[in-house]
Amino acid sequence: MKKILLITPLYPIPYPENNATDVCHSFAKEWVRQGYDVLVIHLQGVYCLAWHLLIKLFGRQIANRVGGGNFYSKRLRKTEYYTMDGVPIFRVPVYNFIPHGRFPKRSIQKFISEVLDILKAKDFVPDAITGHMLSLEIIPLLNEHLHSKTFMVEHGVPKKLKERYPDYEKIISSYTRYGFRSKGIQEDFERKICKVPAPFICYSGIPDYLPLQESRRTFEGPLSRFIYVGEFIRRKYPSKVVEALSKVYPDKGFSLTFVGEGPDREEIDSAIAATSSASSVRFSGKLPRKEIAPLYDEADCMVMISEHEAFGLVYLEAMARGCITIGARGEGIDGVIVDGVNGFLCPAGDADELASLIRRINGLTSSERLAISNAAISTARRMTDSAVAEDYAELLLS
């Protein structure tokens, strides 16, 4: 049985404080279902007491300022072991005085030693090691003892990478393959850091049950029912959606459903008050994924024009239900959404451009919009959890 070792700081935890995305776990649990032997090492950063106290007191405000993140108020003192959906997970603490700074050599050496002990105890010799959002040197150092195929997936361009790693090109070239969560991230990385030989894109998937066979909509008349799904944080610009719709529909001929929560709620309320659109907007709170699908079905259009988006599963989920989907140009979903073919793209955070785009969509015929809706569903059917996980595993183990 082929063995895959996944190492990442980006992994959910089985506690109420969990605030991490399921991106990596989605791959791991599908690999288990597909018959691979999988082991996850969740590298958990542990910082000075003052930082964890700040998270306890002001976690939501800090997440809003830095654009999200999986910060925890409780300091992890020793390695934890648990399973989720059949995936064995070791959560290993690694000390670093400064959040997002380079880990001290002593901390890295201790982490490598502990991972090697775990692998020995589990009799686990990986055929492939893959990392997500991981410090550049960890997998190459670990692989000095394992001699496996090695992979890295970047979820953005790491800050100060060149300053922290003078030999960054040598380290990057030591990986078997180097990947990115989206084409936009790859282009940004290669523009700011360096070209990567044989790069690959590591897209996420959606539940296999979600895509429709064909659109259930007719799209008669202009778009009128809109939905936003995501955190209410600055980089996602939820208030700009209100501003744009109020420009297009000054007579309040629209409805907008917000699904989510977050510290930027006051900005949304201010935009509603400034545009007198309170009667057109409703808030559904944060909902499980299965409960969002019926809301997509009630909407004509899903819109979120956020920046610094690694990928954006909510776009794909909306496409799977046949929504006309609007994302941000040059961000994570660009490349999956092809403007005017299976959705539309708009500059991040630009209410005026968003308003112009919605007018453009309203100028299309109902059959043209229906064709775009069906193309969105076709795209989503090719990007289910099982399909993307199988493609990823084949890349790792080929």
mmCIF file of all heavy atoms in Angstrom, residues 235-279:
data_model
loop_
_atom_site.group_PDB
_atom_site.id
_atom_site.type_symbol
_atom_site.label_atom_id
_atom_site.label_comp_id
_atom_site.label_asym_id
_atom_site.label_seq_id
_atom_site.Cartn_x
_atom_site.Cartn_y
_atom_site.Cartn_z
ATOM 1 N N ARG A 235 -10.394 41.923 3.787
ATOM 2 C CA ARG A 235 -9.872 41.548 2.478
ATOM 3 C C ARG A 235 -10.935 40.916 1.583
ATOM 4 O O ARG A 235 -10.722 40.732 0.383
ATOM 5 C CB ARG A 235 -8.682 40.607 2.625
ATOM 6 C CG ARG A 235 -9.001 39.227 3.145
ATOM 7 C CD ARG A 235 -7.782 38.319 3.108
ATOM 8 N NE ARG A 235 -8.067 36.990 3.612
ATOM 9 C CZ ARG A 235 -8.608 36.025 2.889
ATOM 10 N NH1 ARG A 235 -8.931 36.236 1.627
ATOM 11 N NH2 ARG A 235 -8.823 34.828 3.409
ATOM 12 N N LYS A 236 -12.086 40.561 2.144
ATOM 13 C CA LYS A 236 -13.160 39.976 1.338
ATOM 14 C C LYS A 236 -14.186 41.018 0.879
ATOM 15 O O LYS A 236 -15.064 40.718 0.069
ATOM 16 C CB LYS A 236 -13.859 38.853 2.112
ATOM 17 C CG LYS A 236 -12.979 37.624 2.309
ATOM 18 C CD LYS A 236 -13.705 36.512 3.032
ATOM 19 C CE LYS A 236 -12.814 35.283 3.215
ATOM 20 N NZ LYS A 236 -12.657 34.495 1.985
ATOM 21 N N TYR A 237 -14.111 42.233 1.400
ATOM 22 C CA TYR A 237 -14.933 43.366 0.953
ATOM 23 C C TYR A 237 -16.437 43.072 0.904
ATOM 24 O O TYR A 237 -17.091 43.373 -0.097
ATOM 25 C CB TYR A 237 -14.463 43.828 -0.433
ATOM 26 C CG TYR A 237 -13.032 44.278 -0.484
ATOM 27 C CD1 TYR A 237 -12.064 43.490 -1.097
ATOM 28 C CD2 TYR A 237 -12.643 45.491 0.074
ATOM 29 C CE1 TYR A 237 -10.734 43.896 -1.153
ATOM 30 C CE2 TYR A 237 -11.305 45.913 0.023
ATOM 31 C CZ TYR A 237 -10.365 45.108 -0.589
ATOM 32 O OH TYR A 237 -9.055 45.509 -0.648
ATOM 33 N N PRO A 238 -17.011 42.530 1.954
ATOM 34 C CA PRO A 238 -18.463 42.261 1.889
ATOM 35 C C PRO A 238 -19.308 43.515 1.719
ATOM 36 O O PRO A 238 -20.335 43.492 1.028
ATOM 37 C CB PRO A 238 -18.747 41.572 3.232
ATOM 38 C CG PRO A 238 -17.632 41.994 4.135
ATOM 39 C CD PRO A 238 -16.434 42.120 3.248
ATOM 40 N N SER A 239 -18.895 44.635 2.317
ATOM 41 C CA SER A 239 -19.689 45.860 2.215
ATOM 42 C C SER A 239 -19.726 46.390 0.785
ATOM 43 O O SER A 239 -20.688 47.067 0.380
ATOM 44 C CB SER A 239 -19.142 46.939 3.157
ATOM 45 O OG SER A 239 -17.815 47.289 2.811
ATOM 46 N N LYS A 240 -18.689 46.069 -0.025
ATOM 47 C CA LYS A 240 -18.651 46.546 -1.405
ATOM 48 C C LYS A 240 -19.745 45.896 -2.254
ATOM 49 O O LYS A 240 -20.187 46.477 -3.254
ATOM 50 C CB LYS A 240 -17.285 46.266 -2.028
ATOM 51 C CG LYS A 240 -16.123 46.996 -1.355
ATOM 52 C CD LYS A 240 -16.266 48.504 -1.479
ATOM 53 C CE LYS A 240 -15.076 49.220 -0.862
ATOM 54 N NZ LYS A 240 -15.199 50.696 -0.976
ATOM 55 N N VAL A 241 -20.174 44.713 -1.856
ATOM 56 C CA VAL A 241 -21.257 44.054 -2.582
ATOM 57 C C VAL A 241 -22.552 44.840 -2.404
ATOM 58 O O VAL A 241 -23.312 45.054 -3.359
ATOM 59 C CB VAL A 241 -21.434 42.599 -2.099
ATOM 60 C CG1 VAL A 241 -22.577 41.918 -2.858
ATOM 61 C CG2 VAL A 241 -20.137 41.808 -2.274
ATOM 62 N N VAL A 242 -22.796 45.305 -1.168
ATOM 63 C CA VAL A 242 -23.972 46.142 -0.908
ATOM 64 C C VAL A 242 -23.906 47.418 -1.735
ATOM 65 O O VAL A 242 -24.889 47.822 -2.378
ATOM 66 C CB VAL A 242 -24.080 46.478 0.593
ATOM 67 C CG1 VAL A 242 -25.264 47.415 0.860
ATOM 68 C CG2 VAL A 242 -24.205 45.214 1.422
ATOM 69 N N GLU A 243 -22.747 48.072 -1.733
ATOM 70 C CA GLU A 243 -22.586 49.315 -2.486
ATOM 71 C C GLU A 243 -22.867 49.105 -3.975
ATOM 72 O O GLU A 243 -23.574 49.896 -4.606
ATOM 73 C CB GLU A 243 -21.160 49.845 -2.315
ATOM 74 C CG GLU A 243 -20.836 50.355 -0.921
ATOM 75 C CD GLU A 243 -19.409 50.882 -0.842
ATOM 76 O OE1 GLU A 243 -18.895 51.359 -1.877
ATOM 77 O OE2 GLU A 243 -18.804 50.786 0.233
ATOM 78 N N ALA A 244 -22.325 48.035 -4.537
ATOM 79 C CA ALA A 244 -22.487 47.788 -5.971
ATOM 80 C C ALA A 244 -23.941 47.523 -6.330
ATOM 81 O O ALA A 244 -24.466 48.077 -7.305
ATOM 82 C CB ALA A 244 -21.614 46.609 -6.392
ATOM 83 N N LEU A 245 -24.596 46.689 -5.543
ATOM 84 C CA LEU A 245 -25.991 46.347 -5.855
ATOM 85 C C LEU A 245 -26.899 47.569 -5.730
ATOM 86 O O LEU A 245 -27.857 47.722 -6.503
ATOM 87 C CB LEU A 245 -26.474 45.223 -4.936
ATOM 88 C CG LEU A 245 -25.822 43.855 -5.183
ATOM 89 C CD1 LEU A 245 -26.302 42.840 -4.165
ATOM 90 C CD2 LEU A 245 -26.111 43.362 -6.601
ATOM 91 N N SER A 246 -26.599 48.439 -4.783
ATOM 92 C CA SER A 246 -27.396 49.652 -4.624
ATOM 93 C C SER A 246 -27.231 50.601 -5.808
ATOM 94 O O SER A 246 -28.139 51.362 -6.136
ATOM 95 C CB SER A 246 -27.016 50.359 -3.320
ATOM 96 O OG SER A 246 -27.307 49.539 -2.208
ATOM 97 N N LYS A 247 -26.062 50.523 -6.475
ATOM 98 C CA LYS A 247 -25.855 51.333 -7.677
ATOM 99 C C LYS A 247 -26.657 50.785 -8.856
ATOM 100 O O LYS A 247 -27.210 51.535 -9.671
ATOM 101 C CB LYS A 247 -24.364 51.362 -8.047
ATOM 102 C CG LYS A 247 -23.449 52.067 -7.047
ATOM 103 C CD LYS A 247 -21.989 51.916 -7.450
ATOM 104 C CE LYS A 247 -21.033 52.455 -6.402
ATOM 105 N NZ LYS A 247 -21.077 53.920 -6.293
ATOM 106 N N VAL A 248 -26.707 49.459 -8.956
ATOM 107 C CA VAL A 248 -27.394 48.823 -10.081
ATOM 108 C C VAL A 248 -28.910 48.868 -9.907
ATOM 109 O O VAL A 248 -29.657 49.029 -10.871
ATOM 110 C CB VAL A 248 -26.926 47.364 -10.246
ATOM 111 C CG1 VAL A 248 -27.657 46.681 -11.406
ATOM 112 C CG2 VAL A 248 -25.423 47.307 -10.477
ATOM 113 N N TYR A 249 -29.357 48.731 -8.646
ATOM 114 C CA TYR A 249 -30.792 48.654 -8.351
ATOM 115 C C TYR A 249 -31.167 49.761 -7.365
ATOM 116 O O TYR A 249 -31.429 49.489 -6.177
ATOM 117 C CB TYR A 249 -31.139 47.285 -7.757
ATOM 118 C CG TYR A 249 -30.681 46.108 -8.589
ATOM 119 C CD1 TYR A 249 -29.450 45.489 -8.338
ATOM 120 C CD2 TYR A 249 -31.466 45.602 -9.622
ATOM 121 C CE1 TYR A 249 -29.022 44.402 -9.089
ATOM 122 C CE2 TYR A 249 -31.051 44.508 -10.375
ATOM 123 C CZ TYR A 249 -29.829 43.923 -10.108
ATOM 124 O OH TYR A 249 -29.412 42.844 -10.862
ATOM 125 N N PRO A 250 -31.190 51.007 -7.794
ATOM 126 C CA PRO A 250 -31.501 52.111 -6.868
ATOM 127 C C PRO A 250 -32.915 52.027 -6.301
ATOM 128 O O PRO A 250 -33.203 52.617 -5.266
ATOM 129 C CB PRO A 250 -31.327 53.360 -7.740
ATOM 130 C CG PRO A 250 -31.483 52.882 -9.141
ATOM 131 C CD PRO A 250 -30.935 51.488 -9.164
ATOM 132 N N ASP A 251 -33.793 51.261 -6.976
ATOM 133 C CA ASP A 251 -35.165 51.107 -6.482
ATOM 134 C C ASP A 251 -35.319 49.889 -5.574
ATOM 135 O O ASP A 251 -36.431 49.446 -5.299
ATOM 136 C CB ASP A 251 -36.136 50.988 -7.655
ATOM 137 C CG ASP A 251 -35.783 49.809 -8.566
ATOM 138 O OD1 ASP A 251 -34.704 49.206 -8.367
ATOM 139 O OD2 ASP A 251 -36.584 49.500 -9.466
ATOM 140 N N LYS A 252 -34.166 49.332 -5.119
ATOM 141 C CA LYS A 252 -34.132 48.173 -4.221
ATOM 142 C C LYS A 252 -34.696 46.907 -4.869
ATOM 143 O O LYS A 252 -35.238 46.037 -4.189
ATOM 144 C CB LYS A 252 -34.900 48.454 -2.921
ATOM 145 C CG LYS A 252 -34.430 49.680 -2.167
ATOM 146 C CD LYS A 252 -35.260 49.889 -0.908
ATOM 147 C CE LYS A 252 -34.902 51.189 -0.228
ATOM 148 N NZ LYS A 252 -35.738 51.446 0.966
ATOM 149 N N GLY A 253 -34.535 46.794 -6.168
ATOM 150 C CA GLY A 253 -35.058 45.624 -6.865
ATOM 151 C C GLY A 253 -34.135 44.430 -6.788
ATOM 152 O O GLY A 253 -33.871 43.776 -7.801
ATOM 153 N N PHE A 254 -33.612 44.148 -5.606
ATOM 154 C CA PHE A 254 -32.726 42.993 -5.421
ATOM 155 C C PHE A 254 -32.850 42.479 -4.000
ATOM 156 O O PHE A 254 -33.344 43.176 -3.105
ATOM 157 C CB PHE A 254 -31.266 43.384 -5.697
ATOM 158 C CG PHE A 254 -30.639 44.231 -4.606
ATOM 159 C CD1 PHE A 254 -29.922 43.644 -3.567
ATOM 160 C CD2 PHE A 254 -30.764 45.618 -4.616
ATOM 161 C CE1 PHE A 254 -29.345 44.424 -2.561
ATOM 162 C CE2 PHE A 254 -30.186 46.398 -3.623
ATOM 163 C CZ PHE A 254 -29.483 45.807 -2.595
ATOM 164 N N SER A 255 -32.391 41.245 -3.803
ATOM 165 C CA SER A 255 -32.217 40.702 -2.457
ATOM 166 C C SER A 255 -30.796 40.186 -2.339
ATOM 167 O O SER A 255 -30.216 39.707 -3.320
ATOM 168 C CB SER A 255 -33.217 39.568 -2.177
ATOM 169 O OG SER A 255 -32.929 38.444 -3.000
ATOM 170 N N LEU A 256 -30.217 40.307 -1.160
ATOM 171 C CA LEU A 256 -28.846 39.862 -0.909
ATOM 172 C C LEU A 256 -28.811 39.109 0.410
ATOM 173 O O LEU A 256 -29.206 39.643 1.448
ATOM 174 C CB LEU A 256 -27.891 41.060 -0.852
ATOM 175 C CG LEU A 256 -26.458 40.790 -0.378
ATOM 176 C CD1 LEU A 256 -25.745 39.785 -1.278
ATOM 177 C CD2 LEU A 256 -25.661 42.104 -0.305
ATOM 178 N N THR A 257 -28.346 37.858 0.349
ATOM 179 C CA THR A 257 -28.213 37.031 1.551
ATOM 180 C C THR A 257 -26.744 36.905 1.905
ATOM 181 O O THR A 257 -25.931 36.483 1.072
ATOM 182 C CB THR A 257 -28.804 35.628 1.318
ATOM 183 O OG1 THR A 257 -30.199 35.747 1.030
ATOM 184 C CG2 THR A 257 -28.627 34.753 2.559
ATOM 185 N N PHE A 258 -26.401 37.277 3.123
ATOM 186 C CA PHE A 258 -25.049 37.098 3.641
ATOM 187 C C PHE A 258 -25.004 35.824 4.478
ATOM 188 O O PHE A 258 -25.765 35.682 5.436
ATOM 189 C CB PHE A 258 -24.630 38.279 4.522
ATOM 190 C CG PHE A 258 -24.137 39.475 3.763
ATOM 191 C CD1 PHE A 258 -24.940 40.598 3.591
ATOM 192 C CD2 PHE A 258 -22.860 39.485 3.224
ATOM 193 C CE1 PHE A 258 -24.478 41.699 2.900
ATOM 194 C CE2 PHE A 258 -22.390 40.586 2.527
ATOM 195 C CZ PHE A 258 -23.193 41.698 2.360
ATOM 196 N N VAL A 259 -24.102 34.916 4.126
ATOM 197 C CA VAL A 259 -23.880 33.700 4.910
ATOM 198 C C VAL A 259 -22.472 33.793 5.480
ATOM 199 O O VAL A 259 -21.492 33.804 4.739
ATOM 200 C CB VAL A 259 -24.023 32.437 4.049
ATOM 201 C CG1 VAL A 259 -23.779 31.187 4.908
ATOM 202 C CG2 VAL A 259 -25.400 32.377 3.404
ATOM 203 N N GLY A 260 -22.366 33.878 6.791
ATOM 204 C CA GLY A 260 -21.069 34.000 7.436
ATOM 205 C C GLY A 260 -21.161 34.910 8.634
ATOM 206 O O GLY A 260 -22.241 35.324 9.058
ATOM 207 N N GLU A 261 -20.007 35.210 9.175
ATOM 208 C CA GLU A 261 -19.914 36.116 10.317
ATOM 209 C C GLU A 261 -18.492 36.658 10.370
ATOM 210 O O GLU A 261 -17.608 36.186 9.648
ATOM 211 C CB GLU A 261 -20.256 35.403 11.629
ATOM 212 C CG GLU A 261 -19.394 34.195 11.923
ATOM 213 C CD GLU A 261 -19.824 33.414 13.151
ATOM 214 O OE1 GLU A 261 -21.009 33.464 13.502
ATOM 215 O OE2 GLU A 261 -18.954 32.751 13.757
ATOM 216 N N GLY A 262 -18.275 37.654 11.208
ATOM 217 C CA GLY A 262 -16.935 38.197 11.329
ATOM 218 C C GLY A 262 -16.931 39.633 11.788
ATOM 219 O O GLY A 262 -17.979 40.292 11.868
ATOM 220 N N PRO A 263 -15.747 40.153 12.087
ATOM 221 C CA PRO A 263 -15.621 41.487 12.674
ATOM 222 C C PRO A 263 -15.966 42.634 11.738
ATOM 223 O O PRO A 263 -16.111 43.766 12.185
ATOM 224 C CB PRO A 263 -14.146 41.549 13.095
ATOM 225 C CG PRO A 263 -13.459 40.550 12.222
ATOM 226 C CD PRO A 263 -14.450 39.458 12.001
ATOM 227 N N ASP A 264 -16.107 42.372 10.456
ATOM 228 C CA ASP A 264 -16.425 43.450 9.516
ATOM 229 C C ASP A 264 -17.939 43.663 9.367
ATOM 230 O O ASP A 264 -18.372 44.411 8.488
ATOM 231 C CB ASP A 264 -15.813 43.163 8.142
ATOM 232 C CG ASP A 264 -15.273 44.426 7.465
ATOM 233 O OD1 ASP A 264 -14.811 45.319 8.180
ATOM 234 O OD2 ASP A 264 -15.322 44.504 6.232
ATOM 235 N N ARG A 265 -18.713 43.058 10.238
ATOM 236 C CA ARG A 265 -20.175 43.217 10.167
ATOM 237 C C ARG A 265 -20.577 44.691 10.272
ATOM 238 O O ARG A 265 -21.531 45.137 9.603
ATOM 239 C CB ARG A 265 -20.841 42.394 11.272
ATOM 240 C CG ARG A 265 -22.338 42.625 11.461
ATOM 241 C CD ARG A 265 -23.168 42.213 10.253
ATOM 242 N NE ARG A 265 -24.560 42.620 10.391
ATOM 243 C CZ ARG A 265 -25.527 41.870 10.920
ATOM 244 N NH1 ARG A 265 -25.251 40.635 11.357
ATOM 245 N NH2 ARG A 265 -26.761 42.302 11.013
ATOM 246 N N GLU A 266 -19.876 45.459 11.091
ATOM 247 C CA GLU A 266 -20.220 46.876 11.235
ATOM 248 C C GLU A 266 -20.074 47.628 9.923
ATOM 249 O O GLU A 266 -20.875 48.522 9.622
ATOM 250 C CB GLU A 266 -19.339 47.522 12.318
ATOM 251 C CG GLU A 266 -19.640 47.035 13.722
ATOM 252 C CD GLU A 266 -18.798 47.732 14.769
ATOM 253 O OE1 GLU A 266 -18.031 48.661 14.387
ATOM 254 O OE2 GLU A 266 -18.891 47.365 15.950
ATOM 255 N N GLU A 267 -19.060 47.265 9.119
ATOM 256 C CA GLU A 267 -18.883 47.898 7.817
ATOM 257 C C GLU A 267 -20.066 47.596 6.901
ATOM 258 O O GLU A 267 -20.521 48.460 6.131
ATOM 259 C CB GLU A 267 -17.584 47.424 7.169
ATOM 260 C CG GLU A 267 -16.318 47.919 7.837
ATOM 261 C CD GLU A 267 -16.132 49.424 7.659
ATOM 262 O OE1 GLU A 267 -16.506 49.945 6.592
ATOM 263 O OE2 GLU A 267 -15.614 50.068 8.585
ATOM 264 N N ILE A 268 -20.557 46.372 6.965
ATOM 265 C CA ILE A 268 -21.719 46.005 6.149
ATOM 266 C C ILE A 268 -22.938 46.811 6.584
ATOM 267 O O ILE A 268 -23.667 47.358 5.748
ATOM 268 C CB ILE A 268 -22.008 44.494 6.271
ATOM 269 C CG1 ILE A 268 -20.801 43.673 5.830
ATOM 270 C CG2 ILE A 268 -23.237 44.118 5.443
ATOM 271 C CD1 ILE A 268 -20.944 42.189 6.071
ATOM 272 N N ASP A 269 -23.150 46.892 7.902
ATOM 273 C CA ASP A 269 -24.291 47.649 8.412
ATOM 274 C C ASP A 269 -24.209 49.118 8.003
ATOM 275 O O ASP A 269 -25.223 49.740 7.669
ATOM 276 C CB ASP A 269 -24.363 47.533 9.940
ATOM 277 C CG ASP A 269 -24.747 46.130 10.399
ATOM 278 O OD1 ASP A 269 -25.361 45.395 9.601
ATOM 279 O OD2 ASP A 269 -24.441 45.778 11.556
ATOM 280 N N SER A 270 -23.000 49.667 8.014
ATOM 281 C CA SER A 270 -22.820 51.063 7.598
ATOM 282 C C SER A 270 -23.160 51.249 6.126
ATOM 283 O O SER A 270 -23.792 52.234 5.733
ATOM 284 C CB SER A 270 -21.375 51.520 7.858
ATOM 285 O OG SER A 270 -21.079 51.501 9.239
ATOM 286 N N ALA A 271 -22.743 50.273 5.292
ATOM 287 C CA ALA A 271 -23.052 50.354 3.864
ATOM 288 C C ALA A 271 -24.551 50.243 3.625
ATOM 289 O O ALA A 271 -25.113 50.941 2.768
ATOM 290 C CB ALA A 271 -22.315 49.254 3.111
ATOM 291 N N ILE A 272 -25.207 49.388 4.382
ATOM 292 C CA ILE A 272 -26.662 49.240 4.256
ATOM 293 C C ILE A 272 -27.353 50.543 4.623
ATOM 294 O O ILE A 272 -28.254 51.018 3.915
ATOM 295 C CB ILE A 272 -27.165 48.088 5.145
ATOM 296 C CG1 ILE A 272 -26.660 46.747 4.599
ATOM 297 C CG2 ILE A 272 -28.692 48.097 5.233
ATOM 298 C CD1 ILE A 272 -26.907 45.574 5.524
ATOM 299 N N ALA A 273 -26.910 51.152 5.737
ATOM 300 C CA ALA A 273 -27.517 52.415 6.186
ATOM 301 C C ALA A 273 -27.291 53.530 5.171
ATOM 302 O O ALA A 273 -28.191 54.334 4.893
ATOM 303 C CB ALA A 273 -26.952 52.803 7.543
ATOM 304 N N ALA A 274 -26.089 53.566 4.580
ATOM 305 C CA ALA A 274 -25.750 54.625 3.635
ATOM 306 C C ALA A 274 -26.517 54.505 2.330
ATOM 307 O O ALA A 274 -26.738 55.499 1.631
ATOM 308 C CB ALA A 274 -24.250 54.612 3.353
ATOM 309 N N THR A 275 -26.950 53.289 1.995
ATOM 310 C CA THR A 275 -27.643 53.069 0.720
ATOM 311 C C THR A 275 -29.134 52.794 0.903
ATOM 312 O O THR A 275 -29.827 52.538 -0.075
ATOM 313 C CB THR A 275 -27.012 51.888 -0.028
ATOM 314 O OG1 THR A 275 -27.051 50.721 0.819
ATOM 315 C CG2 THR A 275 -25.569 52.175 -0.394
ATOM 316 N N SER A 276 -29.596 52.824 2.139
ATOM 317 C CA SER A 276 -31.018 52.593 2.437
ATOM 318 C C SER A 276 -31.511 51.268 1.845
ATOM 319 O O SER A 276 -32.593 51.196 1.261
ATOM 320 C CB SER A 276 -31.872 53.747 1.901
ATOM 321 O OG SER A 276 -31.458 54.967 2.458
ATOM 322 N N SER A 277 -30.700 50.218 1.984
ATOM 323 C CA SER A 277 -31.062 48.931 1.387
ATOM 324 C C SER A 277 -31.344 47.854 2.428
ATOM 325 O O SER A 277 -31.285 46.670 2.131
ATOM 326 C CB SER A 277 -29.942 48.463 0.456
ATOM 327 O OG SER A 277 -28.701 48.412 1.148
ATOM 328 N N ALA A 278 -31.668 48.261 3.643
ATOM 329 C CA ALA A 278 -31.853 47.299 4.728
ATOM 330 C C ALA A 278 -32.915 46.265 4.399
ATOM 331 O O ALA A 278 -32.780 45.078 4.735
ATOM 332 C CB ALA A 278 -32.213 48.031 6.019
ATOM 333 N N SER A 279 -33.984 46.666 3.736
ATOM 334 C CA SER A 279 -35.068 45.733 3.447
ATOM 335 C C SER A 279 -34.671 44.680 2.426
ATOM 336 O O SER A 279 -35.355 43.668 2.251
ATOM 337 C CB SER A 279 -36.289 46.494 2.927
ATOM 338 O OG SER A 279 -35.970 47.186 1.729
#
